[in-house]
Every structure is written in C-alpha cells, then in structure tokens.
Amino acid sequence: MSESLLLSRRDLAFQLYDWLDAQSLVRAPRYAEHSRETFDAVIDACERMATDLFAPHYQAADRDEPRFDGTQVHVHPAIAPALRAFAQSGLAAASQDTGRGGMQLPTLIEKAAMTYFYAANVSTIAYALLTMANARLLLAHGTPAQIEAFAQPQLDGRWFGTMCLSEPQAGSSLSDIATRAEFDADTALGAQYRLHGRKMWISGGDHDLAGNIVHLVLAKIPDADGRLVPGTKGISLFAVPKFLPDADGAPGMRNDVVVAGINHKMGYRGTVNCLLNFGEGVHRPHGRAGAIGYLVGAPGVGLACMFHMMNEARIGVGLGAVALGYTGYLHALDYARHRPQGRPVGAAGKDAAQPQVPLIDHADVRRMLLAQKAYVEGGLGLNLYCAKLVDEARVADDADTRRTATQLLDILTPIAKSWPSQWCLAANDLAIQVHGGYGYTRDYKVEQFWRDNRLNAIHEGTHGIQALDLLGRKVTMEGGAAFAALSSRIDAAVSRARSHAALADHAGALGARLARLQDLTRRLWAAGDTARTLADASVYLEAFGHVVVAWIWLEQATVAQGRRGELFDGKRAAADFFFTRELPRVDAMFDLLSAFESSPLRMRDAWF
Amino acid sequence: MSESLLLSRRDLAFQLYDWLDAQSLVRAPRYAEHSRETFDAVIDACERMATDLFAPHYQAADRDEPRFDGTQVHVHPAIAPALRAFAQSGLAAASQDTGRGGMQLPTLIEKAAMTYFYAANVSTIAYALLTMANARLLLAHGTPAQIEAFAQPQLDGRWFGTMCLSEPQAGSSLSDIATRAEFDADTALGAQYRLHGRKMWISGGDHDLAGNIVHLVLAKIPDADGRLVPGTKGISLFAVPKFLPDADGAPGMRNDVVVAGINHKMGYRGTVNCLLNFGEGVHRPHGRAGAIGYLVGAPGVGLACMFHMMNEARIGVGLGAVALGYTGYLHALDYARHRPQGRPVGAAGKDAAQPQVPLIDHADVRRMLLAQKAYVEGGLGLNLYCAKLVDEARVADDADTRRTATQLLDILTPIAKSWPSQWCLAANDLAIQVHGGYGYTRDYKVEQFWRDNRLNAIHEGTHGIQALDLLGRKVTMEGGAAFAALSSRIDAAVSRARSHAALADHAGALGARLARLQDLTRRLWAAGDTARTLADASVYLEAFGHVVVAWIWLEQATVAQGRRGELFDGKRAAADFFFTRELPRVDAMFDLLSAFESSPLRMRDAWF
C-alpha cells in the first residue's frame, strides 16, 4: 500500500496549520517544548509505522479472526509486533505528562497522528486506544497507588486495558446492569471488592498480546439490605486485573474473570470482542470465588467517572469513521484514475470508436468522488476542531475560554461521533460503487472499510443515543449556553465569509439555516411534552450535523480564499459541493420537525 | 426460522389481489386455466420450500464459500437438494407454455412466488434464476433444435445456465469486449463457431450441481479483415455448453471452457462467481483449441437479444433487493418486539424505577421500523406492478394496451432495479441499527442481508448506468411516449386519491412533484448539451424514483381507504410516512438539477 492512500498529508497540514493554527498551542506552558517541527515528526513517525506495520495485515486479520481455545484468546500474529512497535515509540503516552514518560503533546496533534493508524488498521490500533483510554481514566480518578499499579504499565505499553460497561441484558440502558460488587477488604490498592456478573461487548477482553489486562468495570454496590438499587446511582467503577499484581507489581495470581465466549462480527474482526464472566469461581483468588476489583473513585459515581472520558472516546469513534472514509476515498480516487472503462458523454453523446477513458473522466464518478471528499475532509475538520477544544479546555489562559471550549466540546461531541458514522460510511459505500464489481470483492479493501465502518453508528452510544444526548440535554444545558457558544462561532464564520464575494451565498445559506435551527429548537422545547419534543431527535441530529459540517466547510473555504493551487481549488470545489448538494437537505428535515409530524409516535401494532 | 420472517403474506395478498387485481389476469386465454386458488397454491408451495429448504442454509453457505480445486468448483452441499426440489416442483418453467412442461403462470404470480426464495436465500436461488433466464432467452431467439438441446434440459431442471457478458477489461462498457468468435462449421445446432476470450463475473460459471452448464456468451465475429469492429455492432450471441451434447443429447465431449479463478465477494457468497477462459486449449474438442459455440439469433444482434431479457433481469434484481429488505424488516420487527431495553421518554422524561420495555416502545425504533416498512412494501409494489406490465404486454386484448404496457415497463425498469437497491439496502442498514451490537454479529442474519444486498446496485447495470438509461433514453424515447404514459397513470392515481379527504394532501403533493419533474425533464433536454443534461443523471434517477414510489404508495393508500384493520392501518401509516418524510427529499434534488450546478463536471485534478 502506498502511504498516500491512508490520508492526504497535504490536507492534514492545511487543517492543522492553515486553518486550526495548531502552532499557536505552543504558547501554552504545557506545550512550550513543542513546535511545528516536533508535531510533524510525530505525525511522520505515525504515518510510517501505520504504513509499514499496521496496513499490511489489515485484510489478513479480518480473514483470520481471533480464536478462543476455551481458555485463552489468540489473535492474528501480525498484531503483536505492530502494537509492540507502537508501545516502544512512546505514542501510548503521547499526550501524558513528560513526568510519566509522556510527550505532553497537544490532543489535537495526538489525534491527527493517530488518524493514520485508524486509516491503516482500525482493528489493530483499537487494542492500544482502549488501553490509552483506560490509563487516562485511572490517571483522572485513581489513587497514586492505583496509577502506579495499573496505569503506568499500560502507558509503558506492557499491559493492555478494557472498558466493561454493557451486559447481555443492558446495552444502551446502563442503569440496568446487574454486576454486583461486594466489599471485601481495605488494601494498599484501595477498597477491595468481589465482583459477580457478566459483561458483554468487551473489545480486547482477552488475547495473547501482553502480560496482563486491566478491566475497568462498572458494577453496583448493594445497599444495606443487599439489594441493587435501580437506576445509575449505585454504579461504581472498579479496576479488575486479569492477573493480580504480586508484591513486585508483576502479574501474579489469576483473578476470577474468564472468557465465556467471543462475538463473531461482520467487520472490525481483528479486534476480539468478548463476553466475560466475573466471579463464577473458575479461578479462586485467595481461596474463594469472586473477581477481585479495586474501587476507583468514590462509590456510586462510576458512571460519571466513565463519562468523563466519553467525549474523547466519542471523538475517537468519529475519527475512526472519518479515517475509514478517508482511506476509502483515496482508494477510490486511485482506482478511478487508473481503470479504463467506457467513454464520457460529450456534448453530442458518445463515440464508441474512441479509446476507453479512465473512470474519473465520467461525470458520475467525479460526483461520487467529490461527495466522498466533502464527507471525509468535512468530518476530519469537525473532529480535529473538537480535539483542539480538548486542548483549549485544558490550557487556555483564562477561565472563560476554558469554559467555552468545554461547552463547545459538549455540544459538538454527539455530532463528531455520529456525523462521520453516517456520512463517512456513505463515503465507503460510494468507494465501493466507484470500484464496480471489483469493489464487491475482497481483493480490494473498500468492502472491508464499509463493513468495519458500520460499527461506528453502534458502539460508544448508538445514533439514537447521540440524538437524545444532543436534543434532550446538550442544546438546553446551562440555559442553552453551549448552543449559544456554538451559534456565536458559526455567526462569526458567516460574517468572515460574507466579505468574500465567492462565499457570500454560502455564508447566507448557512446563516439562514442556523437561524432556523435556533428557532426550531425553541419551538421543540416549547411543546411542553418531552415525548413529542424528542420523537424525532434522530432527524434533528442529522440536520444539526449538516449545519455544523457546513460551518466547518465555510471555515476551510474562507482560509482557502485567494490562494492558488490544487489543494485550495479542491477545498473550494468540495465546499461548493457541500453547500449546493448537502446543506439543502436540511430544509426537508426542518419542515418535518416543525410540523411535529410524529407518525412513529402514533404507530402501534399495524406493522404488517 | 419462522415463515413469517420472510415476507408478509398478508401484504402480498393485499398487493396482488386488492390492489393489482391479479385475479383479472385469468380472463386472458393464456391464463384461463388459472384462478386465485391456483395462484395461491403456487405461492404456498414456494413459501414452504423457501422456508424448509432454502432459509436453513443461508448463513452456512455464506460461511463455507464455494471452493475451486483447480479443476472444478464445489458449492455448499445444502444447495443441490434445495435446487433439486425446486426443479422437481416444475417452478423453473412456471411461466412457460404448458406444452414445454410449464404452468403458463402469469409473470406477476411467478415473481411474487419467487420473492420468497429471494428472501430465504438469494444466493441459492440465483442458480435457478440464471438458468431460467438463459432458457427464456433461448426460447425467444434460439432455433427449435437449440431450444430442444439447450433450453429444455434447463426448464426440466437437469442442466444449469449462465450469462457471459463482462470481461476483465469491459464491465459496464460492453462495446469493448474482446472475445472472438470464428466460424467453424454449419451443424444441426446452427452455425458453429470457435470462441477465444475471457469472461468475468460469471455467476454459476462452474459448480458440481448438475450434468451440464450452458453458457450464453457475447462475442465478436471478426470482419473480413479479421478485425473486431469497435462498438456494439459486431457483438453476437452464442450457446457454449460445458459439455457438448452427444448424439442422444446427453453431456458428451468436454468443451474448451475452463475456470481461471473464482471471485471472493463480500456477500452473495453462496453463488459462485467465476472468471472463465474460453478457447485456451485446455480441452481440445474435435482435436483443436477453441470453445465451440452455436450462434443464437442473427450475427451482430447479440446485444439486442441479451437486452431483450434485460427488463425482466432487472426486475429480478429489484425484487431481490426488496426481498432482502423485507425479510430484514421482519427480523428487526421481531427483535424489537422481544428485546427489552431502557424506558421510553414520556411526557415528563424517563423513570428508571420502571421495568425495561421492549425496544419497539421507543419512538426512534418505531421510526426505523416504519421507514423499513415504507421502503420494502413500496419497493415490492413497484416491482409487482412491473411484473404485471410484463403480463399485460403479452396478453392484453388490444395492441394499444400492449404498447402502453411495454412503454411503462421500459421507463419503470431502471427505477424498479435501482430504487430498491438503494432504499431496501437502507432498510437493511436500519435493521442492523434496531438490533444494536447484536445486529453487527453473525449470530443474526441482518448483517448478511446488508452485505448481500450491496451487490444489487452493481450487477445488471450499475446505478449510474440505470441513471443514463432513464434520463438519456427512456424519458425521451418515442417522443416522450413512455414518460407520457407514466404521467397519465400517476395523474389518474392523483385524481382518484383527491376524492378521499385523508389523501387529498398527499395527492396534491405528488401532483406538484410530477409537474415539476415533467418541467425539469424538458429543461434538462433543452440545454442542448448532452454532457450537461446527463451530468447529474444519478440525482435525477433518485428523485424520479421517489416520485414513482410515492405514486405506488398513493395507489395502495387509496385501496386501503375506508377499510378497517391492522393491515389497512399499516398501509395508511406507511403511506403517511413516505409522503411526509420521503417525498419532500426530492425538492432539494429538483432545485439542484434546475440550477445545472454541475460542479462534478468542472472538477478536474484538485482531489487532495
């Protein structure tokens, strides 16, 4: 695979430096040791490693799925060396403090660099991403002893980590989890509990990659009567290692957590996905059944701890969807440039006596490529924008800026997660179509991009969950402050763009849609009936997403104004495409929402 | 699998009898022996056979793909018994003359009955469908001797057949095929040629299911100077059996056609797909290299012969897409009714103390189900309507009716093929989403429905090819007669619906869109530049398709007017859904087309 088929480095540089002004981040003391040169060096290293060690086994790890021998999961043999190289590079701790062996890299640059791995092999990098998220959660909520025992080996790349939220009977509805955690003893690693329950959909739940796996598990501590309280209030967070650390911190006694089965998925196959049983007594640490877990954070705030990391996890999903869309676009572009087929329709029709032309000479193929470009570069822009907000929320000088960044991040996260899951999947669909019959075969990667990408609308909160989060919570939170902050950013972009003749129409179109979105939001909430307000939250999410991505495109088109060259021509063309062909879709959605049509609410039993 | 998860028999009966008045077909002498009872008996038999013999190995044949041992292709062992039972039932000749062992069944009923097989196992029934199409083509264009030698064994279910059009370098562009056919001898089976070339994407190209395989092959007869003429004019059609018939008509000498490789697809895996080499000298019939083929029809009209069958083949693709969408809908509905998850949003929000409710109690899940219902029942209606047109074109008393039916069939075929390929695929996407994480696993069938369905926008003419066919040819053919005939049907439906208060708005909405579509079509062709006219043919196809399916829904809603019961309530709800949520999408497309925006035409090299 040529490296240029992962991402466009030229576009990435445009988005990071020309648009998002990433180099300005080094003014913050935390990033003072950095420069555009160090940023680029990290991105270079990731691009190289993704190309050399991750992309080559993308299809092989799909074909030869993880295998469970009844005791242990075995994954494709090319995964371990790739992850070992990743760990040795120090990238697992890229955004962590230098004191922890990290690079103190801005999140913006870390996410940009990681996008290469998503594009090269989303299943293999998933093991590392889960581990990094696990470690970050421990850094935020764990005790110093817990960080030393469980986070540090993960940051060093020696151990791996998982997140254990769902259960077979509780997916989107976490308040219904039934895993029970009973107090056992106080230890140097914190309050020790015994856990009993089953956890479903555990990515990286078991494998042969490393010495230990740290599970971060949501479980309920029973009340004084031994009952599990309904709702989310009783949920606490526990660190449950596969092997309990011995006196030296090395993996020791086997904990009572075992694989009950693995899920066979349509895509994302390289990442093992397990059903784990906790506390079934298969292993009996210290002589009795029950998985030993150490309470992380206070009792009863487990969901809050977990959701503290949710913005970043969801941006990660969005970026993964973008990366699959992006590499699919570049594969389709490459194919379209080299595959001869048919003759274009000229002003007077076709001439069969002419030689065949490359696919890209057909208008319909260029339409499909331009759509992909508009989706993937727009989606990348949105997620990089969010990554920069993570940095601003962390390092900005004044509290107002930090608060605004947090609000913007809160309201944009459901979009950053769901929009690429929908539209960069659509890009993958178009990439298959550009390839014709060949795209439907496993000789080409585009079919796998599409299969892999389909997960992104499901995990880390389904599309419907994101929609309820956006309309049910984010647009009204703090008296609508987040929505107001976002509106003000969009208004500013509209004002800047208006001064360019070539962008004035687009600016006007976006301004009008934003005004309508604001009005619509007020009217939806004025209905006084939450069920009616939220009935079409998914439609609202989709319309809101298109408005947001139109704003991202207007920002990028404004930066490209007056500049010459293919990169800038391409930005203008894709922005034009988005404004003429995508943004107008929202009007029908606004009309629908305004009408409170709500036929799904009325539909009862008349299904067939 | 419960039989009710394939198709709704209640809906099928509504569409066939309440709406399309299938029973009236028996007034034609050809169908005089039939009645609703015989129709239902055939459908019953297909439903039973599909349920008992086809559905059970749907996933197994996907998992254990066809295998090529270097000489011969082996397919999943459950395929042969299913196809044997199908052949023994006489269904392969269902629409053929009773004199040929057929049932003289109307195409409408044949297609309706076959839909059960598509829904149960689209890959297995494909072998039979290709064979039936092959036999029909021979019946239409072959000599009596060719029909006896090659068609009859297929109608009897003893042999199988393929269609060999594409080549590795010529997919959508058939004028570029390079397979050469040189005259060899005159024989009782017609002019005998020797063929040399490679054919790609040959479904059922080889297998271990039967005694012989008849390939219908497009090849070029060289001109007097031995050259292959560019374009489609030199293309002729040949019957090329794997084994040449011996004196008794039984499979005899091995012909010079061999499997060069098989394609490994994303879906539709049970149907083997081959690259075939003709005339490479691996076998040397009568002592020399060259695959022996018998000319079918006149020289140079091969493409016309092949395209004679294309309307039916494309309706077959459309029905396949519908069936996958339909069974996906019923699976999602079943899952949503039985899977408890979360609590609905009530007027005052959620209450975690309440027990979990089935998924279907969530408005967003009902929205996804209603969308599926609107897509699959609408798509089924469109394709059944087309199947009835095939009957009308054949048996109507007067020439005018027959001509109108042919025109309607011509203009509706690209829609009947492409619309379900897009929207019933979207239905499968929603069926996965309703299942959540479980839908992404191979424990449930919905992921396979989605993978299988993705082929339908590619084979038998891609989406882009259908679009050019519709806008570039069908709407203007015979001075716009086909479009006028369709408009007149839609206008009539609008008039009928206007008299029902509950449908007046829908009727008005459809009438307005039809008027705009007519005006737009005129303006597109008034541009005087074919390239500009056709630049957004795909957008035109999509908008046209939604107008057509809105008409289908208006027809069905009109039939349901004033009738009580779940079936009719469901028809009304789905029609309302389509009119309020789907039809309005076309306005943005009309706006785009009216503006001749054509950014894809202008886009050249600025891809990244």
Side-chain angles (χ1 to χ4, degrees), chain B residues 215-470:
Chain B
H215 305 292
L216 281 174
V217 182
L218 291 181
K220 285 188 176 178
I221 300 173
D223 67 11
D225 300 325
R227 287 178 311 209
L228 301 185
V229 181
T232 58
K233 294 205 174 58
I235 298 177
S236 304
L237 181 66
F238 301 88
V240 184
K242 179 176 176 182
F243 295 98
L244 297 163
D246 66 15
D248 301 323
M253 188 183 297
R254 185 70 162 81
N255 203 355
D256 192 10
V257 44
V258 296
V259 178
I262 64 176
N263 294 305
H264 295 95
K265 293 165 291 173
M266 172 167 63
Y268 244 98
R269 294 190 182 187
T271 308
V272 68
N273 188 275
C274 301
L275 173 60
L276 295 181
N277 283 355
F278 291 81
E280 293 229 318
V282 177
H283 303 285
R284 303 174 66 84
H286 300 300
R288 66 187 184 85
I292 288 177
Y294 304 95
L295 180 68
V296 176
V301 299
L303 213 54
C305 291
M306 195 61 97
F307 273 75
H308 183 80
M309 312 310 295
M310 206 42 111
N311 280 345
E312 271 196 67
R314 287 177 172 169
I315 294 171
V317 171
L319 263 186
V322 165
L324 284 163
Y326 211 126
T327 186
Y329 163 56
L330 296 181
H331 279 79
L333 179 62
D334 187 61
Y335 187 82
R337 283 175 160 164
H338 296 106
R339 164 82 174 169
Q341 194 73 186
R343 286 132 202 98
V345 178
K350 291 191 198 189
D351 179 0
Q354 294 299 312
Q356 296 209 69
V357 298
L359 278 172
I360 201 167
D361 285 4
H362 296 278
D364 193 49
V365 172
R366 288 207 298 282
R367 180 187 62 82
M368 292 192 277
L369 291 170
L370 207 38
Q372 291 172 67
K373 180 178 169 74
Y375 298 152
V376 305
E377 294 182 9
L380 181 63
L382 171 59
N383 275 277
L384 292 179
Y385 194 96
C386 288
K388 191 180 178 206
L389 290 172
V390 174
D391 291 320
E392 285 178 12
R394 181 174 200 168
V395 304
D397 289 337
D398 64 300
D400 271 3
T401 306
R402 291 197 300 274
R403 189 174 55 246
T404 302
T406 303
Q407 289 168 340
L408 287 168
L409 192 60
D410 278 340
I411 195 168
L412 286 173
T413 294
I415 315 287
K417 192 270 183 190
S418 65
W419 195 89
S421 299
Q422 179 173 2
W423 295 99
C424 295
L425 178 70
N428 287 146
D429 178 81
L430 292 170
I432 292 173
Q433 198 66 18
V434 168
H435 282 73
Y438 290 97
Y440 196 68
T441 70
R442 280 124 63 200
D443 294 338
Y444 290 80
K445 289 186 177 179
V446 286
E447 64 86 23
Q448 190 180 340
F449 298 149
W450 193 62
R451 282 190 288 115
D452 286 359
N453 215 347
R454 183 62 185 84
L455 180 61
N456 289 316
I458 298 173
H459 67 167
E460 303 291 357
T462 62
H463 212 72
I465 295 290
Q466 305 302 323
L468 293 176
D469 183 42
L470 178 67

Side-chain angles (χ1 to χ4, degrees), chain A residues 337-400:
Chain A
R337 282 175 159 163
H338 295 107
R339 164 81 174 170
Q341 193 73 187
R343 286 130 202 101
V345 178
K350 291 191 197 187
D351 178 1
Q354 295 298 313
Q356 295 209 70
V357 298
L359 278 173
I360 201 169
D361 285 5
H362 297 278
D364 193 49
V365 172
R366 287 207 298 283
R367 179 187 64 82
M368 291 192 279
L369 291 169
L370 207 39
Q372 290 171 67
K373 180 179 168 73
Y375 298 151
V376 305
E377 294 182 9
L380 181 62
L382 171 59
N383 275 279
L384 292 178
Y385 194 95
C386 288
K388 192 179 178 210
L389 290 172
V390 174
D391 291 319
E392 285 178 13
R394 180 173 201 168
V395 303
D397 288 339
D398 63 299
D400 271 2

Side-chain angles (χ1 to χ4, degrees), chain A residues 10 65 171 176 264-265 329 341 343 364 366 429 440 442 451 454 536 538 581 600 607-608, chain B residues 10 65 171 176 264-265 329 341 343 364 366 429 440 442 451 454 536 538 581 600 607-608:
Chain A
R10 225 159 34 142
E65 284 181 291
D176 293 296
H264 296 95
K265 293 166 291 172
Y329 163 55
Q341 193 73 187
R343 286 130 202 101
D364 193 49
R366 287 207 298 283
D429 178 81
Y440 196 68
R442 279 124 64 199
R451 282 190 289 116
R454 184 61 186 83
D536 270 312
S538 291
R581 288 163 185 261
W607 295 104
F608 64 84
Chain B
R10 221 157 41 140
E65 284 182 291
D176 294 296
H264 295 95
K265 293 165 291 173
Y329 163 56
Q341 194 73 186
R343 286 132 202 98
D364 193 49
R366 288 207 298 282
D429 178 81
Y440 196 68
R442 280 124 63 200
R451 282 190 288 115
R454 183 62 185 84
D536 271 313
S538 291
R581 290 162 185 260
W607 294 104
F608 65 85

Side-chain angles (χ1 to χ4, degrees), chain A residues 573-596:
Chain A
D576 286 351
F577 187 96
F578 200 89
F579 272 90
T580 53
R581 288 163 185 261
E582 292 296 330
L583 185 58
R585 291 182 198 260
V586 304
D587 297 337
M589 300 182 223
F590 286 155
D591 290 347
L592 175 71
L593 289 158
S594 300
F596 283 93

Side-chain angles (χ1 to χ4, degrees), chain A residues 9 12-13 15-17 20-26 31 34-44 46 91 94-95 103-117 319 383-391:
Chain A
R9 185 65 184 269
L12 193 60
Q15 298 213 21
L16 288 177
Y17 303 121
L20 293 172
D21 196 19
Q23 56 277 43
S24 71
L25 286 167
V26 304
Y31 306 137
H34 282 291
S35 64
R36 179 163 172 172
E37 285 65 40
T38 64
F39 293 167
D40 283 343
V42 172
I43 298 173
D44 284 344
C46 289
L91 286 163
S95 65
M103 304 180 193
Q104 282 188 199
L105 201 65
T107 296
L108 173 60
I109 302 301
E110 183 203 19
K111 296 288 181 203
M114 294 301 293
T115 308
Y116 275 101
F117 295 104
L319 264 185
N383 275 279
L384 292 178
Y385 194 95
C386 288
K388 192 179 178 210
L389 290 172
V390 174
D391 291 319

Side-chain angles (χ1 to χ4, degrees), chain B residues 1 5-7 46-47 49-63 76-80 82-83 86 113-129 267-272 320 323-324 327 331 445 448-449 452:
Chain B
M1 161 180 283
L5 297 188
L6 295 180
L7 294 173
C46 289
E47 181 173 4
M49 203 184 310
T51 304
D52 295 343
L53 287 172
F54 283 72
H57 67 279
Y58 179 62
Q59 290 170 294
D62 178 76
R63 200 167 48 239
H76 192 279
I79 294 175
L83 292 174
F86 180 82
M114 294 302 291
T115 307
Y116 274 101
F117 295 104
Y118 287 115
N121 196 326
V122 73
S123 291
T124 293
I125 198 62
Y127 293 98
L129 294 165
Y268 244 98
R269 294 190 182 187
T271 308
V272 68
L324 284 163
T327 186
H331 279 79
K445 289 186 177 179
Q448 190 180 340
F449 298 149
D452 286 359

